Amino acid sequence: MRLDRAAGAPAPWQQVHDQVVAAVDDGRLVPGDRLPTVRALAEELGVAAGTVARAYRALEASDVVSTASRAGTVVRDRTAQRGDAAARAAAASLARECLAAGLDDDAALSLLRGALAAARGR
């Protein structure tokens, strides 16, 4: 991991966050891989421990990693999360379409229930 210290570069914590996400997305880090301790990574990068801690908190908030006191910070399995993200995006699109069509909540939910039933073959 390297930090760009040039003027205009993202904040160091953001760079750490983005590099971990990129490593997870391209398979360099896989579920179960441990990240370095906050202190070790901070030392390696020459930044304050709080900088790395902030990046790790942001990674936890995005469900990229989980942290347990004795287990350390570990990459999470995001397979299900990607499906959830796609479903959330589809739901948001459906909501916009329903609003544009002038449907109220009950009518929109009825349409979704019907589509779910059809998808299940009922």
Side-chain angles (χ1 to χ4, degrees):
M1 197 172 297
R2 294 176 188 238
L3 295 180
D4 181 355
R5 298 181 190 275
W13 75 266
Q14 185 70 54
Q15 292 181 54
V16 170
H17 173 276
D18 294 349
Q19 288 180 45
V20 170
V21 169
V24 169
D25 287 345
D26 71 16
R28 286 177 287 144
L29 288 174
V30 297
D33 281 353
R34 287 177 130 191
L35 298 185
T37 65
V38 167
R39 194 172 294 175
L41 186 56
E43 217 171 277
E44 178 183 325
L45 297 174
V47 297
T51 299
V52 175
R54 182 174 180 185
Y56 280 16
R57 283 192 305 273
L59 289 163
E60 268 193 287
S62 348
D63 287 329
V64 175
V65 300
S66 61
T67 301
S69 58
R70 294 196 182 249
T73 302
V74 179
V75 174
R76 293 181 51 126
D77 184 354
R78 296 174 61 198
T79 306
Q81 294 166 3
R82 287 189 185 106
D84 290 349
R88 279 192 300 278
S93 177
L94 175 61
R96 286 189 300 276
E97 291 293 325
C98 288
L99 290 173
L103 299 176
D104 65 15
D105 291 4
D106 290 333
L109 290 172
S110 179
L111 281 175
L112 179 57
R113 284 188 192 99
L116 286 168
R120 290 184 181 115
R122 294 184 191 159

